[in-house]
Amino acid sequence: MKKYILLPAFLLSSATISAQTSYPVTGMKYMESVLLREPIKSDTVDAKGKTYETASLLKNTATGLFDESATVLNDDQGRYLITKPEKGYALHRFKFNIIPNRFSTLEISVKAPGMYEIYVNGEKKGDKYTVNTKLSDEKPTKHSITVEPEIQEVIIKYLNSATIESDDSISVTVNCPKNDSLSRPNITPDPRHPLYIDDLLVGKRPSSTSISPNGKFALIQYRTTLAGGSGTSETILYRISDGHTQYIKDGLSWMPSSSLLYYITNTNNGRELHTIDPENMQDKLLASGLPSGYFSWSPDESYLIYSIYESAPEKGKPISEIIVPADRIDGWRNRCNLYKYDLATGVMQRLTFGYRNTYLSDISNDGTKLLFNSSYPKLTERPFGENSMFLMDVATGKVDTLWHKDPFASGAQFSPDGTQILITAPAEAFGGLGLNIKEGQTANMYDIQAYIMNLSDKRITPITKLFNPSIESAIWNKFDNQIYFRCTDKDRVTVYRYSPKKDSFEKLPLEEDIVQSFNLSQNAPIAIYRGQSVSYANRVHLYNTKKNESKLISDLQAEQMAQFRLAPVTDWNFQSEDGTTIEGRYYLPPNFDENKQYPMIVYYYGGTTPTDRTFEMRYSGHLYAAMGYVVYVIQPSGTIGYGQEFSARHVNAWGIKTANDIITGTKKFCEAHPFVNAKKVGCIGASYGGFMTQYLQTQTDIFAAAVSHAGISSITSYWGEGYWGYGYSAAASANSYPWNNKDLYVEQSPLFHADKINTPLLLVHGTVDTNVPIGESIQMFTALKILGKEVAFLQVDGENHGIVDFKKRMAWKKSIFAWFAKWLQDDSNWWESLYPSKTL
């Protein structure tokens, strides 16, 4: 057999190929041949009356698992000599990858005297079941495939025979149609590829983590999603001392202090409560006959507090009265009350009763006191509800009111010694005690602050008034008496440690840009956290709170990450007209060439949360960069995480300042980066970001294409129709209503300026969206159609505000890719394949 040189991996990827229609496959992985022999024939036909075919040797042989360490064969002409068996037949397997740069139709041409079958991504695409004895008699056979811009794994099973008289060889080329001048497929044995949507949805990922109170064990739950959307889950018990892992049953949680695991099971005798000792996995029945419902443990493990919803009478049918706007939501009339279940006696005692909901906030470490709150609708004043917090003595039932009917404060937790409580709430809570904004501004309700109340005198201290990050969650740790805040911190999610004694914050040096969860041991200096970074997927770490050191304990996607071709992500900021620094970052396409010009996509926040650095997000920058775009992510005025004054710019603005930041930033970015084609810039956003997409097109013509997912077109109809419209407007339109601020509700609504929109606009909406009703897209679509503007509207059947169903999510993303390809890359083939033109 011909001698081949095994090249190092970094040389295997073919360089950018000049414009041509035929690409020889110059490198393939090769699995050593396997000799096959024909079966012993006991008769001339089988049970079905069919005669034996030599081709069955090939047909009945599975492609098998292809060893990624297989030998790489290289030939400049794409022709590979193959050893013939001395007698009989031999099976040979070849593998290479086609990495298309666009949606296209390609041909795989194979010339070989023997039989073969060709598979693309596991699906058979062609075959040849004849054997020619001479290579010179063989003509190339062509097999057409339609490909999207994602890796196409090609495997060829080849069966040759001793009867072949000449040298045996196989030649493979990939051909583009003659009229296709845009396709530049990369043909390579190297499996490394740009990021594709399948990479974000399929695979195994950590979904939750927790740590035992004594800091000796951790639970890590994983979720595996298979191609097609089905999935499984599994839980691992991790021993921290030596890293030993073992699979255990799902549904386990930690007891609050004894470091045992517990679970609930339903039996003929009712619900049973079991514990499992992680040291020896001994299972013990702790209690039986438990009532149904959600419960919380007392820290001393002596009782359970149940939160039980009582069903209200069903609404009248076919006509029903709606009491308040929220009554449109199924189950709103149900009411929650608290019960105490004593584990020693099995006695269930009701703690609260009444029409108002009561919710448990916390239980003191010694188990003697409860914090619970009650909510009261108040539709005549923003934010349309009030909350009271109560302190209950568990033994006596005596109740003390900590605050009464505050519009903004609702949640609290005890300090370890039970003398104080930590409160997280907007800056307007407690009469604006935590405000730090300019005169004339209204605080952003989604910018969450922290307060400490002394229970002895009920004095409240705002501790984050000068702290810019917005609080996501908080833990007042028993072990070191420090408060750990997980925060939205600009475009990152970080953890800060606050010392109540020193009144000081310290940012923990964690290893991820986005900390998705952070769990502390209550009796040891150890925590577990999971997260992602701007160019890396899910990992799990332990963290020593004394040494301030992280230890990586789970990186299941390391092998997958090694297969991606990702360009670096670079921060880029600019000064707005008022001198504010507006931050952002940009993603470049893999194999970026600074001497070329690329189309660009601009992405900005939805709601009021920054577009963070999560790798596996719905609008992943790397995913769009893989399609050949520069992706510019901007954090314009109004987002939380940059301080109260900055986030307050969101209120009563509806794009006034935000749009100017986006337009200015886009222009300045294009000026500063000549590799961007300023005539081929698109933009995309969802929810409030979808509103921004529509609004931007009424303010500028700098965009060549735009995508609005679940966007708001009329602030008035959104305010009144969605389940959450008036509630969100309590933040975004504070104290402004259609009757007292018509300029805001009309002039800032894109629908009322639809005639100014010249940008091709794609509207995408779930048909059962309860947040932003689909009518918001319907009315903008109708307006633009009447105006004769370029618009497309996709309804996603059965989906709410986000697209959750696996197959629908795949189709949704590919539709967006196809829309941008049509308008930013002058390639309408993908869009037309999905949505062929129809004659009216």
Side-chain angles (χ1 to χ4, degrees):
M1 191 174 182
K2 181 179 176 181
K3 259 186 145 183
Y4 299 96
I5 301 173
L6 181 61
L7 295 182
F10 66 86
L11 292 178
L12 296 180
S13 177
S14 59
T16 302
I17 305 172
S18 59
Q20 56 182 344
T21 59
S22 183
Y23 304 89
V25 179
T26 58
M28 295 196 292
K29 289 190 174 182
Y30 172 71
M31 296 277 283
E32 291 297 329
S33 61
V34 178
L35 294 176
L36 300 177
R37 65 171 182 266
E38 295 187 281
I40 298 173
K41 304 176 183 66
S42 60
D43 209 335
T44 57
V45 295
D46 62 11
K48 296 181 179 179
K50 294 184 177 180
T51 58
Y52 174 76
E53 296 178 341
T54 301
S56 65
L57 289 174
L58 188 63
K59 293 178 180 179
N60 296 334
T61 305
T63 55
L65 293 175
F66 210 99
D67 186 358
E68 290 300 332
S69 64
T71 302
V72 176
L73 309 180
N74 295 276
D75 189 285
D76 290 342
Q77 303 302 314
R79 178 173 178 262
Y80 302 87
L81 295 178
I82 302 174
T83 301
K84 295 181 294 186
E86 294 181 1
K87 60 180 180 178
Y89 301 88
L91 175 70
H92 307 263
R93 283 167 289 174
F94 300 87
K95 177 181 174 182
F96 64 94
N97 301 299
I98 303 173
I99 303 179
N101 67 318
R102 61 184 289 269
F103 177 90
S104 56
T105 298
L106 304 174
E107 287 181 342
I108 301 177
S109 176
V110 181
K111 180 179 179 181
M115 302 181 189
Y116 68 81
E117 291 178 341
I118 185 167
Y119 295 81
V120 179
N121 290 340
E123 182 180 350
K124 185 180 173 185
K125 293 295 184 180
D127 57 56
K128 171 178 165 288
Y129 293 129
T130 58
V131 176
N132 291 326
T133 58
K134 293 183 179 180
L135 180 62
S136 59
D137 295 337
E138 187 62 36
K139 302 297 182 185
T141 305
K142 297 179 180 180
H143 310 280
S144 179
I145 61 172
T146 299
V147 297
E148 297 173 347
E150 60 184 28
I151 190 167
Q152 311 291 315
E153 181 186 81
V154 182
I155 293 179
I156 299 175
K157 293 193 306 179
Y158 180 65
L159 187 74
N160 67 348
S161 166
T163 62
I164 297 174
E165 298 175 359
S166 61
D167 287 341
D168 188 11
S169 69
I170 184 170
S171 299
V172 186
T173 59
V174 175
N175 307 313
C176 301
K178 291 182 179 179
N179 60 351
D180 182 357
S181 62
L182 297 175
S183 291
R184 301 286 190 275
N186 183 16
I187 316 299
T188 174
D190 190 343
R192 292 178 296 170
H193 60 274
L195 185 70
Y196 301 126
I197 186 172
D198 302 67
D199 299 317
L200 298 179
L201 299 183
V202 177
K204 184 176 180 180
R205 294 165 173 82
S207 56
S208 69
T209 55
S210 61
I211 196 163
S212 62
N214 61 11
K216 292 184 177 181
F217 293 91
L219 285 182
I220 307 174
Q221 187 172 57
Y222 295 96
R223 174 72 182 174
T224 300
T225 302
L226 306 175
S230 62
T232 60
S233 62
E234 59 192 20
T235 303
I236 287 178
L237 179 67
Y238 180 91
R239 190 163 60 206
I240 291 173
S241 61
D242 58 6
H244 177 266
T245 60
Q246 66 182 99
Y247 289 96
I248 58 174
K249 64 190 299 180
D250 291 342
L252 296 173
S253 301
W254 293 109
M255 298 277 280
S257 60
S258 61
S259 293
L260 298 175
L261 296 161
Y262 77 91
Y263 67 96
I264 299 291
T265 184
N266 294 311
T267 70
N268 293 331
N269 298 321
R271 301 181 86 212
E272 291 183 347
L273 174 60
H274 289 253
T275 62
I276 295 177
D277 188 338
E279 298 283 359
N280 53 28
M281 299 308 294
Q282 183 177 353
D283 191 307
K284 180 181 178 181
L285 175 64
L286 187 63
S288 59
L290 266 68
S292 298
Y294 170 78
F295 65 81
S296 299
W297 280 93
S298 66
D300 64 0
E301 300 180 359
S302 67
Y303 62 86
L304 310 173
I305 297 295
Y306 275 82
S307 299
I308 296 180
Y309 280 87
E310 296 159 354
S311 298
E314 291 188 8
K315 299 173 185 175
K317 294 180 179 179
I319 298 176
S320 60
E321 179 191 12
I322 301 300
I323 303 171
V324 294
D327 192 25
R328 298 163 57 206
I329 305 171
D330 290 340
W332 177 84
R333 295 188 182 187
N334 299 337
R335 291 296 180 262
C336 180
N337 279 284
L338 303 179
Y339 295 75
K340 177 192 173 191
Y341 181 85
D342 187 81
L343 287 167
T345 63
V347 173
M348 184 85 149
Q349 180 181 351
R350 184 166 188 156
L351 299 180
T352 64
F353 172 85
Y355 182 72
R356 305 298 179 193
N357 284 306
T358 50
Y359 302 104
L360 179 68
S361 287
D362 198 14
I363 308 174
S364 63
N365 277 321
D366 61 8
T368 62
K369 295 181 178 63
L370 301 182
L371 284 173
F372 71 93
N373 66 52
S374 185
S375 59
Y376 311 81
K378 190 175 183 180
L379 289 175
T380 57
E381 291 183 20
R382 166 184 172 269
F384 314 123
E386 298 173 318
N387 298 278
S388 296
M389 183 65 68
F390 303 98
L391 178 70
M392 175 187 287
D393 187 297
V394 176
T396 65
K398 181 181 177 181
V399 173
D400 183 19
T401 301
L402 300 183
W403 67 79
H404 185 55
K405 292 189 175 182
D406 187 287
F408 297 96
S410 60
Q413 62 180 279
F414 283 105
S415 62
D417 64 5
T419 64
Q420 297 174 305
I421 60 171
L422 172 68
I423 306 160
T424 53
E428 290 176 275
F430 310 117
L433 190 62
L435 285 172
N436 182 21
I437 55 178
K438 291 180 179 179
E439 185 177 353
Q441 285 188 315
T442 300
N444 188 324
M445 285 170 45
Y446 296 108
D447 196 336
I448 302 301
Q449 308 299 308
Y451 309 78
I452 291 178
M453 173 189 281
N454 294 325
L455 293 178
S456 60
D457 58 9
K458 298 180 185 176
R459 182 172 59 87
I460 301 173
T461 302
I463 62 174
T464 58
K465 191 171 183 176
L466 303 178
F467 181 69
N468 284 340
S470 176
I471 308 301
E472 297 292 329
S473 61
I475 305 170
W476 202 328
N477 187 237
K478 177 182 174 182
F479 178 77
D480 59 10
N481 198 37
Q482 306 291 293
I483 301 174
Y484 291 80
F485 291 109
R486 192 172 68 90
C487 308
T488 294
D489 186 9
K490 296 185 177 180
D491 64 351
R492 292 171 167 82
V493 178
T494 57
V495 175
Y496 283 81
R497 178 166 48 203
Y498 174 76
S499 170
K501 185 176 180 180
K502 298 179 181 178
D503 186 26
S504 63
F505 288 90
E506 173 193 3
K507 184 177 179 179
L508 302 187
L510 304 184
E511 297 295 327
E512 305 295 346
D513 290 334
I514 305 298
V515 179
Q516 296 167 313
S517 66
F518 185 84
N519 306 103
L520 283 153
S521 166
Q522 289 296 308
N523 300 306
I526 195 75
I528 187 170
Y529 68 95
R530 62 184 176 91
Q532 300 186 27
S533 290
V534 72
S535 295
Y536 207 92
N538 306 272
R539 290 179 288 204
V540 179
H541 306 259
L542 294 175
Y543 185 76
N544 188 302
T545 58
K546 278 190 173 181
K547 298 179 180 180
N548 285 340
E549 294 177 350
S550 290
K551 177 184 177 182
L552 179 65
I553 63 171
S554 178
D555 185 9
L556 292 182
Q557 291 175 263
E559 184 175 344
Q560 181 189 25
M561 292 300 304
Q563 300 300 309
F564 298 150
R565 293 184 179 277
L566 306 175
V569 179
T570 305
D571 292 341
W572 189 80
N573 308 328
F574 70 93
Q575 298 291 313
S576 67
E577 293 176 355
D578 64 2
T580 303
T581 298
I582 302 298
E583 297 190 353
R585 63 184 185 275
Y586 63 93
Y587 302 72
L588 295 175
N591 303 317
F592 171 74
D593 183 348
E594 64 180 7
N595 296 313
K596 291 186 175 181
Q597 278 201 323
Y598 295 85
M600 185 171 79
I601 295 173
V602 182
Y603 183 41
Y604 29 79
Y605 72 80
T608 185
T609 304
T611 304
D612 66 34
R613 303 171 80 89
T614 304
F615 179 74
E616 293 186 333
M617 63 185 300
R618 290 177 181 271
Y619 299 95
S620 170
H622 285 295
L623 183 62
Y624 286 88
M627 300 291 162
Y629 303 100
V630 173
V631 179
Y632 172 39
V633 176
I634 182 174
Q635 313 293 351
S637 293
T639 182
I640 64 173
Y642 291 83
Q644 288 189 43
E645 189 280 326
F646 194 85
S647 67
R649 299 180 185 187
H650 180 79
V651 184
N652 281 317
W654 284 92
I656 293 174
K657 177 64 176 171
T658 306
N660 190 57
D661 287 347
I662 295 171
I663 294 168
T664 302
T666 300
K667 289 179 177 179
K668 288 189 174 185
F669 188 93
C670 292
E671 291 171 1
H673 301 92
F675 52 76
V676 173
N677 183 346
K679 295 182 179 180
K680 293 293 183 179
V681 177
C683 61
I684 185 170
S687 193
Y688 184 89
F691 157 81
M692 281 306 308
T693 290
Q694 296 181 36
Y695 180 76
L696 281 166
Q697 311 324 307
T698 71
Q699 304 298 305
T700 183
D701 288 332
I702 65 172
F703 297 107
V707 176
S708 168
H709 174 81
I712 300 158
S713 63
S714 171
I715 303 170
T716 304
S717 55
Y718 163 70
W719 167 83
E721 292 181 13
Y723 281 3
W724 325 113
Y726 74 98
Y728 177 76
S729 296
S733 316
N735 299 316
S736 291
Y737 303 99
W739 54 88
N740 70 3
N741 195 346
K742 293 180 182 178
D743 285 345
L744 177 70
Y745 281 84
V746 174
E747 292 305 316
Q748 294 309 116
S749 293
L751 181 65
F752 292 92
H753 300 279
D755 58 325
K756 299 175 184 176
I757 296 178
N758 299 309
T759 307
L761 175 62
L762 172 64
L763 302 162
V764 188
H765 224 119
T767 60
V768 293
D769 194 330
T770 55
N771 187 334
V772 179
I774 192 172
E776 293 301 310
S777 286
I778 292 173
Q779 55 194 4
M780 178 57 80
F781 175 70
T782 303
L784 294 178
K785 276 295 184 182
I786 290 173
L787 288 164
K789 302 298 180 97
E790 191 69 57
V791 63
F793 178 30
L794 302 179
Q795 296 185 140
V796 188
D797 187 55
E799 292 297 294
N800 205 307
H801 200 50
I803 310 303
V804 177
D805 178 82
F806 183 92
K807 292 182 179 179
K808 294 174 185 176
R809 193 172 176 185
M810 294 286 281
W812 162 65
K813 291 301 295 185
K814 291 177 181 180
S815 298
I816 294 173
F817 297 154
W819 181 258
F820 279 138
K822 177 179 180 178
W823 297 104
L824 302 185
Q825 297 178 333
D826 297 323
D827 181 7
S828 62
N829 288 326
W830 199 355
W831 180 262
E832 290 173 1
S833 75
L834 295 172
Y835 309 103
S837 299
K838 298 175 180 64
T839 303
L840 298 178

